[in-house]
Amino acid sequence: MLNIALFGPPGAGKGTQSEFLVKEFNLFYISTGDLLRKELAAETRLGLQARSIIASGGLVSDEIIVQVIEKTITEHPEANGFLFDGFPRTYIQCYILEGLMMKLNTSLNCLVSLEVDEETSVRRLLERGRTSGRTDDNETVIRNRLREYSEKTLPVLDFYREKGNYQRANGNQAIEKVTADIRVVVRNELAKYLVNVVVFGYPGSGRGSQGAALARKYGLEYVATGPMLDQEIKARTPLGQRIIGLYESGQLVPDEIVVQLIEKKLERSSGVKGFIFKGFPRTLVQSYILDGLLRKRGSSIARSIEIEVPTLELIKRLDERSRTDRCMPYDNTTAKIVQRLAEHETKTVPVINKYNQLHGVVKVDGMGSFEEVFARTSGVLESIFRNG
Ligand code: AMP
């Protein structure tokens, strides 16, 4: 997810620049001002409470702001990222935004501050007032809004300056020039963050070969727990001996083993562009572990893919594989294959459902040749690199 807050005094050009940001980076636009005006127009309880404050140019209470924002964010789990306009507007709202982002298991990438001098703001707002129909675009209220901005909103910058994710753009320039400057800031942000993708699918869906090929094509680190465990078996480590026993009885390897291996892998991969996870997380507990492992690195999951293949086809593929030298110790009998499919159903499907609610899992048809499926899975990765 790419989350940006556009900051600046009334009349800085936040609304105008938002239009370009939303299109270019495929973001979901949240303007608290627009949300409040909608509530006002619909004469809802919240709208009626906010009416007189908005009319005088004051700031609406945090209780009202939290309600309108939370509702909008939770109604759009599929969003690629959010663009906030007019929020956070007080120091306290910075903490509120942190909390809301945490709930979505993401964070604010950066706050872009559009800097304009006061007289430019007033001139632009008076001009806008001629056509906007907004009752708060008149000189008395405008001056009041600017006073509120200096007193209550400017401290927001201290919060992000301290956090180290605050950028500035000169908002006095021509619209196109401001756009170009913001574009550079956001592109730099995009280049900074890790692209982490989870590839889900039943055993036999092709998630392993697709995951490995995607990692090669996009220069990402492939993290597949299966091969990591096999490595331990091949190297005949004590861990490997324990793993063989578990495989033979068709059980999942305990989290403490898997987590150790993954943590080691993540630590050794500093400087990479991101990770493709396959075979992990396999349980709800592991999904929390992965969230924690990534958060520790200031990162999160960008996208999940689920490769879908009908059950009969899965069994056919696994059965065929069991008769070749690619046979894995955990799928060399029909009973083990059935057990693995059942394990996926009961333990991993709830993880997919959880991620689906959090950030939307992209379903990909796993039928057809490797190349056909690869074109589909690559399409998902392309969209992340294009839009974050
Ligand atoms: P805007 O469209 O952003 O200029 O907002 C118009 C009015 O809505 C402001 O003058 C405030 O009264 C109110 N408002 C918008 N966003 C917020 C916020 N984050 N906190 C408090 N009041 C807000």
Side-chain angles (χ1 to χ4, degrees):
M1 256 189 163
L2 172 72
N3 302 300
I4 305 276
L6 207 47
F7 182 88
K14 300 189 294 291
T16 309
Q17 297 299 336
S18 292
E19 283 175 30
F20 125 79
L21 278 167
V22 163
K23 263 197 227 119
E24 182 149 336
F25 298 101
N26 189 17
L27 303 174
F28 190 90
Y29 180 57
I30 299 191
S31 150
T32 39
D34 284 355
L35 292 175
L36 290 169
R37 278 184 289 277
K38 260 192 221 139
E39 299 281 339
L40 256 167
E43 301 197 333
T44 64
R45 183 179 49 82
L46 289 181
L48 295 174
Q49 280 170 9
R51 189 200 308 249
S52 62
I53 303 169
I54 295 178
S56 68
L59 291 186
V60 173
S61 75
D62 293 330
E63 279 90 53
I64 294 184
I65 296 297
V66 168
Q67 289 178 61
V68 292
I69 287 221
E70 181 161 39
K71 192 164 137 241
T72 315
I73 288 181
T74 46
E75 276 171 1
H76 297 279
E78 78 299 342
N80 208 20
F82 293 103
L83 173 66
F84 297 98
D85 167 354
F87 177 79
R89 228 178 176 102
T90 60
Y91 200 78
I92 287 186
Q93 289 184 8
C94 301
Y95 287 108
I96 296 175
L97 179 56
E98 290 290 299
L100 289 169
M101 293 281 93
M102 226 156 118
K103 193 171 165 194
L104 293 184
N105 198 23
T106 183
S107 54
L108 186 77
N109 294 77
C110 110
L111 178 125
V112 184
S113 170
L114 280 183
E115 299 185 341
V116 290
D117 48 65
E118 182 160 335
E119 287 319 307
T120 308
S121 287
V122 176
R123 186 174 38 79
R124 288 184 185 168
L125 290 172
L126 285 174
E127 254 167 51
R128 183 175 79 184
R130 284 202 222 116
T131 52
S132 70
R134 280 177 56 168
T135 48
D136 57 351
D137 281 346
N138 66 71
E139 182 141 10
T140 323
V141 179
I142 290 170
R143 296 276 173 203
N144 200 19
R145 284 159 68 195
L146 287 170
R147 198 170 325 111
E148 287 282 84
Y149 173 77
S150 326
E151 284 171 16
K152 300 188 183 146
T153 309
L154 269 180
V156 163
L157 293 183
D158 296 331
F159 185 96
Y160 292 100
R161 204 178 284 123
E162 252 168 55
K163 248 193 123 196
N165 57 354
Y166 148 68
Q167 302 286 343
R168 296 154 62 178
N170 178 357
N172 291 311
Q173 312 172 91
I175 294 177
E176 299 72 29
K177 183 73 184 68
V178 181
T179 302
D181 287 1
I182 300 179
R183 182 182 282 122
V184 172
V185 168
V186 177
R187 289 242 168 106
N188 286 343
E189 257 333 293
L190 269 177
K192 253 197 256 164
Y193 84 110
L194 292 176
V195 171
N196 303 309
V197 178
V198 181
V199 181
F200 289 111
Y202 276 83
S205 61
R207 56 191 179 168
S209 45
Q210 291 291 331
L214 286 172
R216 271 195 304 277
K217 179 169 174 187
Y218 295 98
L220 303 171
E221 191 75 20
Y222 183 51
V223 184
T225 41
M228 277 154 66
L229 297 166
D230 291 343
Q231 190 79 31
E232 296 290 321
I233 297 176
K234 283 206 194 87
R236 294 179 184 277
T237 63
L239 206 60
Q241 298 297 320
R242 267 181 76 191
I243 298 165
I244 285 200
L246 294 161
Y247 274 178
E248 286 181 345
S249 57
Q251 289 176 55
L252 288 178
V253 177
D255 293 338
E256 28 123 14
I257 298 182
V258 179
V259 170
Q260 264 177 52
L261 295 175
I262 292 196
E263 179 117 63
K264 220 175 1 177
K265 177 99 177 169
L266 297 189
E267 269 160 20
R268 285 196 191 135
S269 316
S270 59
V272 300
K273 272 172 31 191
F275 297 94
I276 297 232
F277 294 94
K278 177 251 154 178
F280 182 85
R282 249 184 160 86
T283 60
L284 275 177
V285 171
Q286 289 186 357
S287 74
Y288 288 109
I289 295 172
L290 180 59
D291 294 343
L293 286 169
L294 293 176
R295 189 163 272 276
K296 197 172 157 195
R297 287 159 180 79
S299 190
S300 60
I301 296 165
R303 193 78 92 253
S304 300
I305 301 176
E306 182 182 16
I307 303 178
E308 294 185 306
V309 171
T311 313
L312 276 181
E313 172 72 13
L314 292 172
I315 295 175
K316 198 176 117 217
R317 289 185 190 178
L318 290 169
D319 181 54
E320 274 167 13
R321 186 166 80 184
S322 74
R323 282 183 266 116
T324 68
D325 54 4
R326 288 183 296 121
C327 173
M328 302 290 173
Y330 42 76
D331 57 13
N332 55 6
T333 67
T334 311
K336 282 187 203 167
I337 292 175
V338 171
Q339 170 145 11
R340 289 220 305 141
L341 295 175
E343 286 265 6
H344 183 93
E345 178 77 39
T346 54
K347 302 207 167 124
T348 312
V349 168
V351 180
I352 301 175
N353 293 339
K354 172 188 152 182
Y355 283 158
N356 202 23
Q357 278 176 1
L358 276 177
H359 53 243
V361 174
V362 184
K363 312 241 182 232
V364 169
D365 177 7
M367 292 299 279
S369 68
F370 170 84
E371 287 72 23
E372 282 164 344
V373 181
F374 192 53
R376 295 177 204 132
T377 53
S378 296
V380 180
L381 271 277
E382 299 283 342
S383 76
I384 307 176
F385 283 107
R386 220 178 17 248
N387 306 318

